[in-house]
Amino acid sequence: MDRIEKSKEKFNQLFGAGVTAAHAIDPDFQDILNHIIFGEVFYQGNLDDKQRELITLVVLVTNQTLPQLKEHVSAALNVGLTPVEIKEAVYQCTPYIGFPKTLNATNEVNEVFKAKNIALPIESQKTIDEDNRFQKGLATQVEIFGDVIKKMQESAPSNQKHIQEHLSTFCFGDFYTRGGLDLKTRELLTICIVSALGGTESQIKAHVHGNKNVGNDKETLITAITHCLPYMGFPRTLNALACVNEIIPEN
């Protein structure tokens, strides 16, 4: 199949058959969109459709492009993602974009779930409690980044140590330890989130190391960032790829 036929097949798989209202009004633009996203980008690299839709969801949440988010929640269900996986991907954005934007996104997800008669609330994926969230969060950080985390905490100025503690308890304790998505998936989604934010090259580089440490190789990172391209544009895509190449040079 050529890219046009591929785009039709993939679009129908994700969203169902038929011509959208947007295509009827802006046919040339929609053809460009469909052919590049669903005829080319979806077929590049080593990710499956479930991984691709999870990446799409977190980039749309990060960008706060909520109408498109609703459409892709339905697409995510259509390719076999569970409500738990969808919710956990959205929750994973929180430490990087803040609660208000994540709440905006969860409201949109809940509307889709209600329309599809998916019971709410989704079953809890919490694995920590007040007594162990720091220890479990720190252990997860060390698993991803190594012992450099403990050195960072020890070397932080006394008036900033609370930031390092929040990073361990909130980002990694409250979110990374949750069920529903494994560590490799959470770390892959995170590099897509921070890439979509823009101006976060230091964090991208750190998460290139983290992804490498949990088993996501360079091909996977390139594929994930390429999948983000239609949603975050070339400048942020090229910046993210430059970070990947700096940390994992070509042989």
Side-chain angles (χ1 to χ4, degrees):
M1 290 189 293
D2 61 21
R3 73 182 192 123
I4 295 175
E5 290 302 314
K6 285 181 177 179
S7 71
K8 290 178 181 177
E9 181 177 271
K10 185 60 64 179
F11 186 90
N12 290 345
Q13 176 192 358
L14 295 171
F15 304 106
V19 177
T20 65
H23 195 279
I25 296 171
D26 293 298
D28 288 351
F29 179 75
Q30 290 297 319
D31 281 344
I32 294 169
L33 182 158
N34 286 350
H35 297 163
I36 184 66
I37 296 178
F38 305 113
E40 294 185 64
V41 169
F42 252 87
Y43 293 91
Q44 185 275 328
N46 61 347
L47 299 178
D48 62 31
D49 286 349
K50 290 183 180 181
Q51 292 170 307
R52 291 178 185 279
E53 277 305 303
L54 287 174
I55 289 169
T56 302
L57 291 176
V58 298
V59 176
L60 294 176
V61 173
T62 302
N63 291 341
Q64 290 290 280
T65 42
L66 301 179
Q68 291 77 21
L69 174 63
K70 289 183 77 170
E71 296 299 321
H72 277 279
V73 172
S74 294
L77 293 167
N78 288 341
V79 298
L81 285 165
T82 67
V84 166
E85 290 169 325
I86 292 169
K87 273 290 184 79
E88 289 302 319
V90 174
Y91 293 165
Q92 184 69 20
C93 299
T94 310
Y96 311 103
I97 68 172
F99 281 106
K101 291 178 179 178
T102 309
L103 285 169
N104 289 344
T106 56
N107 287 338
E108 300 298 315
V109 173
N110 289 340
E111 285 191 17
V112 176
F113 285 1
K114 289 174 184 176
K116 294 182 177 293
N117 296 315
I118 295 171
L120 294 171
I122 301 300
E123 58 267 29
S124 175
Q125 299 298 309
K126 183 178 178 180
T127 67
I128 52 95
D129 57 38
E130 287 298 301
D131 294 329
N132 64 13
R133 60 193 286 262
F134 174 78
Q135 289 82 3
K136 288 199 171 185
L138 179 60
T140 302
Q141 276 183 287
V142 171
E143 183 177 355
I144 297 170
F145 301 108
D147 289 334
V148 65
I149 296 300
K150 294 179 180 178
K151 295 177 182 178
M152 286 173 54
Q153 291 194 342
E154 292 169 359
S155 63
S158 59
N159 63 349
Q160 298 171 39
K161 285 186 180 296
H162 64 284
I163 298 295
Q164 294 298 323
E165 291 177 0
H166 286 322
L167 190 61
S168 296
T169 56
F170 168 44
C171 180
F172 292 93
D174 290 341
F175 289 100
Y176 267 84
T177 64
R178 293 176 61 82
L181 298 174
D182 61 24
L183 193 59
K184 286 180 67 174
T185 301
R186 289 186 183 275
E187 187 59 13
L188 187 64
L189 295 181
T190 296
I191 201 168
C192 296
I193 295 164
V194 295
S195 296
L197 281 170
T200 57
E201 281 72 24
S202 293
Q203 289 76 25
I204 295 171
K205 292 175 187 177
H207 284 285
V208 173
H209 282 296
N211 271 276
K212 184 179 178 183
N213 290 341
V214 299
N216 292 319
D217 60 16
K218 186 173 184 179
E219 180 186 359
T220 299
L221 295 180
I222 292 172
T223 302
I225 291 168
T226 302
H227 192 83
C228 296
L229 167 62
Y231 309 104
M232 69 182 186
F234 275 102
R236 290 175 181 179
T237 300
L238 292 172
N239 289 346
L241 286 174
C243 294
V244 173
N245 287 325
E246 180 178 332
I247 303 303
I248 312 176
E250 291 293 300
N251 293 329

mmCIF file of all heavy atoms in Angstrom, residues 87-116:
data_model
loop_
_atom_site.group_PDB
_atom_site.id
_atom_site.type_symbol
_atom_site.label_atom_id
_atom_site.label_comp_id
_atom_site.label_asym_id
_atom_site.label_seq_id
_atom_site.Cartn_x
_atom_site.Cartn_y
_atom_site.Cartn_z
ATOM 1 N N LYS A 87 -5.975 6.324 31.809
ATOM 2 C CA LYS A 87 -5.935 7.227 32.971
ATOM 3 C C LYS A 87 -4.508 7.373 33.511
ATOM 4 O O LYS A 87 -4.066 8.484 33.849
ATOM 5 C CB LYS A 87 -6.863 6.716 34.070
ATOM 6 C CG LYS A 87 -8.302 7.168 33.970
ATOM 7 C CD LYS A 87 -8.435 8.656 34.258
ATOM 8 C CE LYS A 87 -9.882 9.110 34.255
ATOM 9 N NZ LYS A 87 -10.606 8.792 35.472
ATOM 10 N N GLU A 88 -3.781 6.261 33.595
ATOM 11 C CA GLU A 88 -2.429 6.327 34.148
ATOM 12 C C GLU A 88 -1.501 7.162 33.262
ATOM 13 O O GLU A 88 -0.628 7.869 33.762
ATOM 14 C CB GLU A 88 -1.867 4.929 34.370
ATOM 15 C CG GLU A 88 -2.517 4.179 35.519
ATOM 16 C CD GLU A 88 -2.408 4.911 36.844
ATOM 17 O OE1 GLU A 88 -1.327 5.473 37.128
ATOM 18 O OE2 GLU A 88 -3.404 4.929 37.589
ATOM 19 N N ALA A 89 -1.675 7.088 31.945
ATOM 20 C CA ALA A 89 -0.872 7.919 31.044
ATOM 21 C C ALA A 89 -1.149 9.397 31.286
ATOM 22 O O ALA A 89 -0.217 10.220 31.326
ATOM 23 C CB ALA A 89 -1.160 7.550 29.593
ATOM 24 N N VAL A 90 -2.412 9.736 31.470
ATOM 25 C CA VAL A 90 -2.774 11.130 31.747
ATOM 26 C C VAL A 90 -2.219 11.568 33.099
ATOM 27 O O VAL A 90 -1.614 12.645 33.218
ATOM 28 C CB VAL A 90 -4.299 11.312 31.691
ATOM 29 C CG1 VAL A 90 -4.699 12.716 32.132
ATOM 30 C CG2 VAL A 90 -4.818 11.038 30.284
ATOM 31 N N TYR A 91 -2.391 10.731 34.120
ATOM 32 C CA TYR A 91 -1.854 11.071 35.444
ATOM 33 C C TYR A 91 -0.343 11.284 35.405
ATOM 34 O O TYR A 91 0.192 12.130 36.129
ATOM 35 C CB TYR A 91 -2.161 9.950 36.448
ATOM 36 C CG TYR A 91 -3.603 9.743 36.807
ATOM 37 C CD1 TYR A 91 -4.004 8.562 37.444
ATOM 38 C CD2 TYR A 91 -4.584 10.688 36.536
ATOM 39 C CE1 TYR A 91 -5.321 8.340 37.797
ATOM 40 C CE2 TYR A 91 -5.910 10.471 36.870
ATOM 41 C CZ TYR A 91 -6.276 9.300 37.500
ATOM 42 O OH TYR A 91 -7.584 9.075 37.849
ATOM 43 N N GLN A 92 0.363 10.516 34.570
ATOM 44 C CA GLN A 92 1.815 10.594 34.503
ATOM 45 C C GLN A 92 2.300 11.986 34.104
ATOM 46 O O GLN A 92 3.428 12.370 34.404
ATOM 47 C CB GLN A 92 2.343 9.542 33.513
ATOM 48 C CG GLN A 92 3.851 9.442 33.394
ATOM 49 C CD GLN A 92 4.516 8.878 34.641
ATOM 50 O OE1 GLN A 92 3.866 8.228 35.462
ATOM 51 N NE2 GLN A 92 5.810 9.125 34.784
ATOM 52 N N CYS A 93 1.449 12.756 33.453
ATOM 53 C CA CYS A 93 1.824 14.107 33.025
ATOM 54 C C CYS A 93 1.929 15.087 34.191
ATOM 55 O O CYS A 93 2.596 16.125 34.079
ATOM 56 C CB CYS A 93 0.800 14.645 32.028
ATOM 57 S SG CYS A 93 0.618 13.715 30.504
ATOM 58 N N THR A 94 1.284 14.794 35.295
ATOM 59 C CA THR A 94 1.071 15.777 36.356
ATOM 60 C C THR A 94 2.333 16.438 36.880
ATOM 61 O O THR A 94 2.387 17.674 36.987
ATOM 62 C CB THR A 94 0.299 15.138 37.529
ATOM 63 O OG1 THR A 94 -0.855 14.461 37.031
ATOM 64 C CG2 THR A 94 -0.114 16.181 38.546
ATOM 65 N N PRO A 95 3.398 15.702 37.235
ATOM 66 C CA PRO A 95 4.568 16.382 37.800
ATOM 67 C C PRO A 95 5.267 17.325 36.826
ATOM 68 O O PRO A 95 6.057 18.175 37.261
ATOM 69 C CB PRO A 95 5.503 15.215 38.176
ATOM 70 C CG PRO A 95 4.623 14.011 38.243
ATOM 71 C CD PRO A 95 3.563 14.237 37.230
ATOM 72 N N TYR A 96 4.973 17.197 35.558
ATOM 73 C CA TYR A 96 5.666 17.975 34.537
ATOM 74 C C TYR A 96 4.845 19.148 34.019
ATOM 75 O O TYR A 96 5.406 20.169 33.613
ATOM 76 C CB TYR A 96 6.070 17.058 33.374
ATOM 77 C CG TYR A 96 6.761 15.819 33.874
ATOM 78 C CD1 TYR A 96 6.094 14.597 33.943
ATOM 79 C CD2 TYR A 96 8.066 15.879 34.359
ATOM 80 C CE1 TYR A 96 6.710 13.471 34.456
ATOM 81 C CE2 TYR A 96 8.687 14.760 34.877
ATOM 82 C CZ TYR A 96 8.008 13.559 34.928
ATOM 83 O OH TYR A 96 8.612 12.448 35.456
ATOM 84 N N ILE A 97 3.514 19.049 34.054
ATOM 85 C CA ILE A 97 2.672 20.127 33.540
ATOM 86 C C ILE A 97 1.820 20.770 34.626
ATOM 87 O O ILE A 97 1.218 21.816 34.392
ATOM 88 C CB ILE A 97 1.762 19.639 32.395
ATOM 89 C CG1 ILE A 97 0.705 18.653 32.888
ATOM 90 C CG2 ILE A 97 2.598 19.017 31.278
ATOM 91 C CD1 ILE A 97 -0.336 18.287 31.843
ATOM 92 N N GLY A 98 1.747 20.166 35.806
ATOM 93 C CA GLY A 98 0.968 20.711 36.904
ATOM 94 C C GLY A 98 -0.442 20.145 36.972
ATOM 95 O O GLY A 98 -0.960 19.578 36.009
ATOM 96 N N PHE A 99 -1.052 20.311 38.128
ATOM 97 C CA PHE A 99 -2.390 19.758 38.364
ATOM 98 C C PHE A 99 -3.489 20.400 37.515
ATOM 99 O O PHE A 99 -4.361 19.685 37.015
ATOM 100 C CB PHE A 99 -2.757 19.868 39.848
ATOM 101 C CG PHE A 99 -2.126 18.814 40.710
ATOM 102 C CD1 PHE A 99 -1.071 19.122 41.552
ATOM 103 C CD2 PHE A 99 -2.587 17.508 40.682
ATOM 104 C CE1 PHE A 99 -0.485 18.148 42.351
ATOM 105 C CE2 PHE A 99 -2.010 16.524 41.477
ATOM 106 C CZ PHE A 99 -0.949 16.846 42.314
ATOM 107 N N PRO A 100 -3.524 21.733 37.350
ATOM 108 C CA PRO A 100 -4.650 22.302 36.599
ATOM 109 C C PRO A 100 -4.787 21.738 35.191
ATOM 110 O O PRO A 100 -5.891 21.387 34.757
ATOM 111 C CB PRO A 100 -4.332 23.805 36.576
ATOM 112 C CG PRO A 100 -3.537 24.031 37.830
ATOM 113 C CD PRO A 100 -2.684 22.805 37.938
ATOM 114 N N LYS A 101 -3.681 21.621 34.463
ATOM 115 C CA LYS A 101 -3.752 21.097 33.101
ATOM 116 C C LYS A 101 -4.131 19.622 33.094
ATOM 117 O O LYS A 101 -4.871 19.170 32.207
ATOM 118 C CB LYS A 101 -2.418 21.312 32.384
ATOM 119 C CG LYS A 101 -2.122 22.773 32.088
ATOM 120 C CD LYS A 101 -0.771 22.948 31.410
ATOM 121 C CE LYS A 101 -0.507 24.418 31.110
ATOM 122 N NZ LYS A 101 0.812 24.630 30.488
ATOM 123 N N THR A 102 -3.640 18.875 34.070
ATOM 124 C CA THR A 102 -4.021 17.465 34.144
ATOM 125 C C THR A 102 -5.494 17.310 34.488
ATOM 126 O O THR A 102 -6.185 16.431 33.949
ATOM 127 C CB THR A 102 -3.148 16.715 35.166
ATOM 128 O OG1 THR A 102 -1.765 16.968 34.903
ATOM 129 C CG2 THR A 102 -3.387 15.215 35.075
ATOM 130 N N LEU A 103 -5.997 18.169 35.354
ATOM 131 C CA LEU A 103 -7.425 18.135 35.668
ATOM 132 C C LEU A 103 -8.269 18.451 34.435
ATOM 133 O O LEU A 103 -9.310 17.826 34.216
ATOM 134 C CB LEU A 103 -7.737 19.134 36.790
ATOM 135 C CG LEU A 103 -7.304 18.711 38.197
ATOM 136 C CD1 LEU A 103 -7.413 19.889 39.164
ATOM 137 C CD2 LEU A 103 -8.140 17.542 38.697
ATOM 138 N N ASN A 104 -7.815 19.413 33.629
ATOM 139 C CA ASN A 104 -8.522 19.681 32.367
ATOM 140 C C ASN A 104 -8.615 18.422 31.525
ATOM 141 O O ASN A 104 -9.656 18.113 30.931
ATOM 142 C CB ASN A 104 -7.788 20.765 31.572
ATOM 143 C CG ASN A 104 -7.906 22.142 32.176
ATOM 144 O OD1 ASN A 104 -8.757 22.392 33.026
ATOM 145 N ND2 ASN A 104 -7.045 23.041 31.747
ATOM 146 N N ALA A 105 -7.505 17.704 31.454
ATOM 147 C CA ALA A 105 -7.452 16.495 30.629
ATOM 148 C C ALA A 105 -8.309 15.377 31.209
ATOM 149 O O ALA A 105 -9.031 14.683 30.472
ATOM 150 C CB ALA A 105 -6.007 16.038 30.481
ATOM 151 N N THR A 106 -8.249 15.176 32.522
ATOM 152 C CA THR A 106 -9.038 14.094 33.114
ATOM 153 C C THR A 106 -10.535 14.351 32.925
ATOM 154 O O THR A 106 -11.311 13.400 32.762
ATOM 155 C CB THR A 106 -8.726 13.902 34.612
ATOM 156 O OG1 THR A 106 -8.939 15.124 35.312
ATOM 157 C CG2 THR A 106 -7.298 13.444 34.819
ATOM 158 N N ASN A 107 -10.944 15.611 32.940
ATOM 159 C CA ASN A 107 -12.356 15.915 32.683
ATOM 160 C C ASN A 107 -12.774 15.450 31.286
ATOM 161 O O ASN A 107 -13.866 14.904 31.093
ATOM 162 C CB ASN A 107 -12.609 17.417 32.819
ATOM 163 C CG ASN A 107 -12.577 17.882 34.260
ATOM 164 O OD1 ASN A 107 -12.771 17.104 35.182
ATOM 165 N ND2 ASN A 107 -12.335 19.166 34.463
ATOM 166 N N GLU A 108 -11.900 15.660 30.300
ATOM 167 C CA GLU A 108 -12.202 15.239 28.934
ATOM 168 C C GLU A 108 -12.231 13.713 28.830
ATOM 169 O O GLU A 108 -13.108 13.140 28.168
ATOM 170 C CB GLU A 108 -11.155 15.802 27.961
ATOM 171 C CG GLU A 108 -11.057 17.312 27.935
ATOM 172 C CD GLU A 108 -12.341 17.975 27.487
ATOM 173 O OE1 GLU A 108 -12.937 17.502 26.497
ATOM 174 O OE2 GLU A 108 -12.759 18.952 28.134
ATOM 175 N N VAL A 109 -11.274 13.060 29.482
ATOM 176 C CA VAL A 109 -11.243 11.595 29.478
ATOM 177 C C VAL A 109 -12.510 11.043 30.114
ATOM 178 O O VAL A 109 -13.134 10.112 29.587
ATOM 179 C CB VAL A 109 -9.994 11.080 30.230
ATOM 180 C CG1 VAL A 109 -10.039 9.558 30.369
ATOM 181 C CG2 VAL A 109 -8.717 11.504 29.509
ATOM 182 N N ASN A 110 -12.915 11.631 31.232
ATOM 183 C CA ASN A 110 -14.112 11.150 31.928
ATOM 184 C C ASN A 110 -15.363 11.307 31.072
ATOM 185 O O ASN A 110 -16.268 10.454 31.128
ATOM 186 C CB ASN A 110 -14.280 11.887 33.252
ATOM 187 C CG ASN A 110 -13.232 11.491 34.276
ATOM 188 O OD1 ASN A 110 -12.619 10.440 34.172
ATOM 189 N ND2 ASN A 110 -13.018 12.342 35.262
ATOM 190 N N GLU A 111 -15.427 12.374 30.293
ATOM 191 C CA GLU A 111 -16.582 12.551 29.409
ATOM 192 C C GLU A 111 -16.670 11.426 28.381
ATOM 193 O O GLU A 111 -17.753 10.910 28.094
ATOM 194 C CB GLU A 111 -16.506 13.912 28.703
ATOM 195 C CG GLU A 111 -16.859 15.086 29.586
ATOM 196 C CD GLU A 111 -17.018 16.363 28.788
ATOM 197 O OE1 GLU A 111 -17.173 16.289 27.548
ATOM 198 O OE2 GLU A 111 -16.972 17.445 29.407
ATOM 199 N N VAL A 112 -15.530 11.050 27.836
ATOM 200 C CA VAL A 112 -15.510 9.951 26.866
ATOM 201 C C VAL A 112 -15.913 8.654 27.549
ATOM 202 O O VAL A 112 -16.723 7.876 27.024
ATOM 203 C CB VAL A 112 -14.122 9.813 26.206
ATOM 204 C CG1 VAL A 112 -14.094 8.608 25.267
ATOM 205 C CG2 VAL A 112 -13.775 11.085 25.434
ATOM 206 N N PHE A 113 -15.346 8.401 28.725
ATOM 207 C CA PHE A 113 -15.671 7.166 29.443
ATOM 208 C C PHE A 113 -17.169 7.086 29.764
ATOM 209 O O PHE A 113 -17.794 6.031 29.607
ATOM 210 C CB PHE A 113 -14.854 7.073 30.735
ATOM 211 C CG PHE A 113 -13.402 6.702 30.536
ATOM 212 C CD1 PHE A 113 -12.879 6.498 29.267
ATOM 213 C CD2 PHE A 113 -12.558 6.557 31.616
ATOM 214 C CE1 PHE A 113 -11.547 6.154 29.085
ATOM 215 C CE2 PHE A 113 -11.227 6.209 31.456
ATOM 216 C CZ PHE A 113 -10.721 6.013 30.180
ATOM 217 N N LYS A 114 -17.729 8.195 30.209
ATOM 218 C CA LYS A 114 -19.155 8.201 30.530
ATOM 219 C C LYS A 114 -19.993 7.913 29.284
ATOM 220 O O LYS A 114 -20.973 7.158 29.346
ATOM 221 C CB LYS A 114 -19.546 9.541 31.138
ATOM 222 C CG LYS A 114 -19.011 9.767 32.538
ATOM 223 C CD LYS A 114 -19.318 11.185 33.017
ATOM 224 C CE LYS A 114 -18.700 11.459 34.377
ATOM 225 N NZ LYS A 114 -18.923 12.869 34.792
ATOM 226 N N ALA A 115 -19.603 8.512 28.153
ATOM 227 C CA ALA A 115 -20.346 8.295 26.910
ATOM 228 C C ALA A 115 -20.291 6.840 26.470
ATOM 229 O O ALA A 115 -21.199 6.349 25.789
ATOM 230 C CB ALA A 115 -19.802 9.209 25.814
ATOM 231 N N LYS A 116 -19.226 6.152 26.859
ATOM 232 C CA LYS A 116 -19.051 4.755 26.479
ATOM 233 C C LYS A 116 -19.451 3.805 27.614
ATOM 234 O O LYS A 116 -19.146 2.613 27.558
ATOM 235 C CB LYS A 116 -17.603 4.510 26.046
ATOM 236 C CG LYS A 116 -17.228 5.247 24.762
ATOM 237 C CD LYS A 116 -15.807 4.940 24.333
ATOM 238 C CE LYS A 116 -15.480 5.626 23.007
ATOM 239 N NZ LYS A 116 -16.266 5.057 21.882
#
